[in-house]
Amino acid sequence: MEYRIGLGHDTHRLVEGRPLILGGVSIPHLRGLVGHSDADALLHALTDALLGAAGLGDIGEAFPDDDRRWQGADSRIFLDATLQRLQALRWKVVNIDAIIFAQEPKLGAWKAVIRRNLARLLALPEDNINVKAKTGEGVGHIGRGEALAAQVVVLLQR
Amino acid sequence: MEYRIGLGHDTHRLVEGRPLILGGVSIPHLRGLVGHSDADALLHALTDALLGAAGLGDIGEAFPDDDRRWQGADSRIFLDATLQRLQALRWKVVNIDAIIFAQEPKLGAWKAVIRRNLARLLALPEDNINVKAKTGEGVGHIGRGEALAAQVVVLLQR
Amino acid sequence: MEYRIGLGHDTHRLVEGRPLILGGVSIPHLRGLVGHSDADALLHALTDALLGAAGLGDIGEAFPDDDRRWQGADSRIFLDATLQRLQALRWKVVNIDAIIFAQEPKLGAWKAVIRRNLARLLALPEDNINVKAKTGEGVGHIGRGEALAAQVVVLLQR
Ligand SMILES: [Mg+2]
Ligand SMILES: [Mg+2]
Ligand SMILES: [Mg+2]
């Protein structure tokens, strides 16, 4: 058995008039994430962690944000395409641990929904997926509500 | 053998008139960490990494910060309870690598003390625990001394 | 087979009149990184991740920044010395996944060069090394261009 680890991080600015989509789940909130695609910071960090573990570069290379194909794109497309590349290389996801950093909204009730959705998108048992949430403790760009971030580690095996 | 990885992160604001406790060790300093419990950012990040690796959610779910039971609580309680949950699932900690981000105080002399204490709390050899420290390089909320943060990765096996 | 994981993080301030060296590669830019050594944030984060995984402390302990030997030092010295310590303990690097956080310069074209250089320095196939880049999305000390950071995870086996 071979193993690989990967780390993904993504930050997006929060503004009024944009949807807030995290892990493929739409979360009702006055503000949402700015980006070329749907700006799903959690799926972007996860995609980057998967690409990184498999030695496949990063999301910016795979899905350039100046490519009109990805304007307003559903980030599940990025995850799906990445999972196909991993499958072609016979990599399987062992587990995923994610942190969402957001001063607002409160994500307590949403973590389980996001986790279930990730499990579905990755065709993995929920036990192998974990979603945590942290506020910014009122400091820095997360704490001031200027942005939201996600950080993800993954373990692969084949 | 099965493996799992986990990632924990915690930030707490630094203010005068609070104790500074890191990894269960009291560190003499003019300022300390704000929080509902003893605000031990390192034990919180470690607990979150362990919960995350085992697919058990996060510290906010397990030990809500609006629960009066945890007001002023010794964070070793959170770690102990988490280790018991892991043991029930037959997970063993392989190794822990931690980073403490603090502009002040200088933690150079404290890293070894904290490491030894974590090894004791986790009943692991010191070789399997590592504690690093970084300043904030004078930038951001860490660099301005507004807050202190900790980040931890863990590897589990069973 | 035994496994260990490690996490490294490094931040350096960006100023005019300093070279920008990342992963041992000189990158032409108006500004560069402040530090006692050559301030190669990526090699520092990588060295810290390797030391952390092997339970060998951190780069500040191994190569103190008040030691005149390391003034202006080429950070490849730190990496080489660390790899020798790992080899003596029979640890082999399985894979490395790195993120460089920089608002500027654009690192798109440099990621492959840095990756190839890291593979050479570590005597590993490029497949086992991954280098990602992220901007700071215009927020925080990275987004304002005050600093550049790197974060690295490593997996070791023996
Ligand atoms: Mg993104
Ligand atoms: Mg906390
Ligand atoms: Mg450094």
Side-chain angles (χ1 to χ4, degrees):
Chain A
M1 197 73 88
E2 280 187 284
Y3 294 94
R4 293 287 187 278
I5 60 170
L7 174 71
H9 185 105
D10 200 31
T11 299
H12 282 269
R13 285 186 300 115
L14 271 168
V15 297
E16 288 186 28
R18 285 276 302 179
L20 178 59
I21 300 172
L22 290 171
V25 176
S26 286
I27 296 173
H29 189 49
L30 284 170
R31 303 164 81 210
L33 298 171
V34 178
H36 182 69
S37 67
D38 66 4
D40 186 329
L42 179 54
L43 286 195
H44 293 185
L46 171 56
T47 299
D48 245 359
L50 293 168
L51 290 168
L56 296 172
D58 67 17
I59 194 170
E61 257 164 75
F63 311 100
D65 68 3
D66 54 4
D67 186 328
R68 295 183 73 176
R69 264 184 305 170
W70 314 126
Q71 199 171 344
D74 184 329
S75 295
R76 289 175 291 193
I77 295 171
F78 307 153
L79 177 63
D80 283 346
T82 300
L83 290 171
Q84 279 174 34
R85 292 176 70 185
L86 263 61
Q87 195 171 25
L89 295 164
R90 294 176 302 107
W91 289 118
K92 286 181 182 166
V93 177
V94 177
N95 84 297
I96 286 166
D97 191 20
I99 311 173
I100 305 169
F101 297 90
Q103 192 65 28
E104 288 189 334
K106 290 257 178 209
L107 294 170
W110 290 97
K111 284 181 291 183
V113 180
I114 294 168
R115 179 185 190 165
R116 201 174 313 130
N117 199 49
L118 292 182
R120 198 176 53 75
L121 294 174
L122 289 145
L124 277 177
E126 283 190 45
D127 273 0
N128 300 57
I129 309 278
N130 199 75
V131 177
K132 302 193 293 282
K134 301 296 289 181
T135 73
E137 296 288 324
V139 293
H141 54 281
I142 302 294
R144 290 187 300 268
E146 296 170 14
L148 178 153
Q151 192 148 18
V152 176
V153 288
V154 303
L155 182 64
L156 303 182
Q157 69 177 29
R158 71 175 174 194
Chain B
M1 197 74 86
E2 280 187 284
Y3 293 95
R4 294 288 187 276
I5 60 170
L7 175 71
H9 186 106
D10 199 32
T11 299
H12 282 269
R13 285 186 300 115
L14 270 168
V15 297
E16 288 187 27
R18 287 277 301 180
L20 177 59
I21 300 172
L22 290 171
V25 175
S26 286
I27 296 173
H29 190 49
L30 283 170
R31 305 165 79 210
L33 298 171
V34 179
H36 182 70
S37 67
D38 65 5
D40 186 329
L42 179 54
L43 286 194
H44 293 186
L46 171 57
T47 299
D48 245 358
L50 293 167
L51 290 168
L56 296 172
D58 67 17
I59 194 170
E61 257 165 73
F63 311 100
D65 67 3
D66 54 5
D67 186 328
R68 295 183 74 174
R69 262 184 307 169
W70 314 127
Q71 198 171 344
D74 183 330
S75 295
R76 289 175 292 193
I77 295 170
F78 307 152
L79 177 63
D80 283 345
T82 299
L83 290 171
Q84 280 174 34
R85 293 176 71 185
L86 264 60
Q87 195 171 25
L89 295 164
R90 293 177 302 107
W91 289 117
K92 286 180 180 167
V93 177
V94 177
N95 84 297
I96 286 165
D97 191 20
I99 311 174
I100 305 169
F101 297 90
Q103 192 65 27
E104 287 188 335
K106 289 257 179 209
L107 294 169
W110 291 97
K111 284 181 290 184
V113 180
I114 294 168
R115 178 184 190 165
R116 201 174 313 130
N117 200 49
L118 291 182
R120 198 177 53 77
L121 295 174
L122 289 145
L124 276 178
E126 284 189 44
D127 273 0
N128 300 58
I129 309 278
N130 199 74
V131 177
K132 300 192 292 287
K134 302 295 291 180
T135 72
E137 295 288 323
V139 294
H141 55 281
I142 303 294
R144 289 187 301 266
E146 296 169 15
L148 179 153
Q151 191 148 19
V152 176
V153 288
V154 303
L155 182 64
L156 304 181
Q157 69 177 29
R158 71 175 174 194
Chain C
M1 197 74 87
E2 280 187 283
Y3 293 95
R4 295 287 187 277
I5 60 169
L7 175 72
H9 185 106
D10 199 32
T11 298
H12 282 269
R13 285 186 300 115
L14 269 168
V15 298
E16 288 187 27
R18 285 278 300 181
L20 178 59
I21 299 172
L22 290 170
V25 176
S26 286
I27 296 173
H29 190 48
L30 283 169
R31 303 165 79 210
L33 298 171
V34 179
H36 181 70
S37 67
D38 65 4
D40 186 329
L42 179 54
L43 286 194
H44 293 186
L46 171 56
T47 299
D48 246 358
L50 293 167
L51 290 168
L56 296 172
D58 67 18
I59 194 170
E61 257 164 74
F63 311 100
D65 68 3
D66 54 4
D67 186 327
R68 296 183 73 176
R69 265 184 305 169
W70 315 127
Q71 198 171 343
D74 183 329
S75 295
R76 289 176 291 193
I77 295 171
F78 308 152
L79 177 63
D80 283 345
T82 299
L83 290 172
Q84 280 175 34
R85 293 175 70 185
L86 263 60
Q87 194 171 26
L89 295 164
R90 293 176 303 107
W91 289 117
K92 286 181 183 168
V93 177
V94 177
N95 85 297
I96 286 166
D97 190 20
I99 312 174
I100 304 169
F101 298 90
Q103 192 66 27
E104 288 189 335
K106 290 257 178 209
L107 294 170
W110 291 97
K111 284 181 291 183
V113 180
I114 294 169
R115 179 185 190 165
R116 200 174 315 129
N117 199 50
L118 292 182
R120 197 176 54 77
L121 294 174
L122 289 145
L124 277 178
E126 283 189 44
D127 273 359
N128 300 59
I129 309 278
N130 199 74
V131 176
K132 301 192 293 284
K134 303 295 291 181
T135 72
E137 295 289 322
V139 294
H141 55 281
I142 303 293
R144 288 187 301 268
E146 296 169 14
L148 179 154
Q151 192 148 19
V152 176
V153 287
V154 302
L155 182 64
L156 304 181
Q157 69 177 29
R158 70 176 175 193

